[in-house]
Amino acid sequence: AASRSKGVLLSRMSLELRTPLIAVLGFAQLMEIDPFEPPGPVQRQRLAAMRQAGGHLLQMIEAVLDLARIESGALRLDPQRLQWRDAVAEALELMRPEAERRGVSLVLRPGPPIGGVADRDRLRQVLLQLLGNAVKFNRAGGQVDVVVAGVDGQVRISIRDTGSGMPAALAAALSDAPGAVASTPAGPGAPAGGGMGLAIARSLLALMGGRISARSEPGVGSVVAVVLPRKARADGSAATPGAALDRGTASALLPWLQSIT
């Protein structure tokens, strides 16, 4: 009952925060393009910082809404026929401007076409989260390699980066086989953050019948692999409430949830 109450509270709180925040971001954008009272260089810089911070906050609010939907079982899948490589290529194109801004190259390795059925929007959400981390936590001049392969009726999407590596505890929380994750901690320069988005990605994959694993080596980079059935369940029914938030996901979320309780 307490868990359900927290889910309802998170959902309502997120919706109440989302509406005024969108208005604030909209007015900031209007001020940037105002032809009658155009902002000066300093004002433009401040407005850009406002929109960047507001956009980050909006992403967090959307993440909280996703968590509430997943935990309550209200998140429904919409299976569609797709080509897996095309779906990955689409996510790469969406991520390319950010990668170019950070000096990171994105490479989709060649391979045969692989067809299947999945929720295209949720798959894109998972891929953008994983690709975003691979770009954000990479080094200038680094690279992100993506390989799509079909194995035994499943599709495997591997994302390899040349960054500083992720903390061992986070890699273990993501993986279905924690023993396969390197136990060495990330180096002192490894950036923090991204845990909530990764936990949501893991939960979405569980809803789609998939799984995620991660390997990381400090100073060398990380490999995150997504394995999904080539044909998702056709009914698109919601999962059992709370089923996707297993022990690994809960441990990754616990510090954040405690901070807002």
Side-chain angles (χ1 to χ4, degrees):
S3 179
R4 286 194 299 270
S5 297
K6 177 177 281 190
V8 171
L9 173 64
L10 287 174
S11 180
R12 291 180 178 175
M13 178 188 70
S14 301
L15 287 171
E16 291 296 330
L17 290 173
R18 188 175 183 272
T19 302
L21 178 58
I22 290 176
V24 170
L25 292 175
F27 277 115
Q29 190 172 15
L30 287 174
M31 291 173 67
E32 285 182 315
I33 62 175
D34 190 343
F36 301 105
E37 297 183 17
V42 175
Q43 285 77 18
R44 284 187 181 277
Q45 185 177 5
R46 291 172 178 172
L47 287 169
M50 181 191 304
R51 288 199 300 108
Q52 183 179 5
H56 177 67
L57 181 57
L58 185 60
Q59 288 178 350
M60 292 186 65
I61 292 173
E62 296 288 354
V64 172
L65 283 171
D66 277 339
L67 282 174
R69 295 188 190 106
I70 291 170
E71 192 169 2
S72 67
L75 186 68
R76 303 186 67 86
L77 301 178
D78 181 22
Q80 303 173 30
R81 188 169 299 279
L82 51 75
Q83 290 290 328
W84 291 96
R85 288 183 59 81
D86 291 346
V88 173
E90 180 184 345
L92 282 170
E93 286 306 309
L94 291 173
M95 188 55 58
R96 199 169 299 281
E98 177 66 13
E100 291 177 350
R101 188 178 72 84
R102 293 177 177 269
V104 176
S105 59
L106 301 178
V107 178
L108 176 59
R109 295 299 177 181
I114 304 172
V117 176
D119 188 314
R120 184 184 296 273
D121 291 338
R122 294 303 173 180
L123 175 62
R124 185 190 303 116
Q125 182 178 349
V126 170
L127 291 175
L128 287 176
Q129 176 63 50
L130 299 180
L131 290 170
N133 279 2
V135 169
K136 180 180 178 181
F137 298 155
N138 216 314
R139 55 180 173 79
Q143 184 167 306
V144 176
D145 287 298
V146 185
V147 178
V148 183
V151 181
D152 298 330
Q154 296 179 317
V155 62
R156 181 183 180 90
I157 304 170
S158 300
I159 301 173
R160 180 190 298 271
D161 67 64
T162 56
S164 57
M166 67 176 66
L170 181 57
L174 280 173
S175 299
D176 291 324
V181 180
S183 58
T184 21
M196 184 171 66
L198 287 172
I200 292 173
R202 192 178 194 274
S203 296
L204 289 174
L205 287 171
L207 289 177
M208 293 187 284
R211 64 184 188 276
I212 187 172
S213 62
R215 292 185 293 107
S216 186
E217 186 175 348
V220 176
S222 305
V223 180
V224 178
V226 170
V227 178
L228 281 160
R230 290 175 64 174
K231 293 185 178 180
R233 55 185 176 185
D235 61 353
S237 58
T240 304
L245 293 178
D246 55 18
R247 184 175 298 178
T249 302
S251 64
L253 282 171
L254 185 58
W256 180 80
L257 287 175
Q258 287 175 335
S259 72
I260 63 171
T261 302

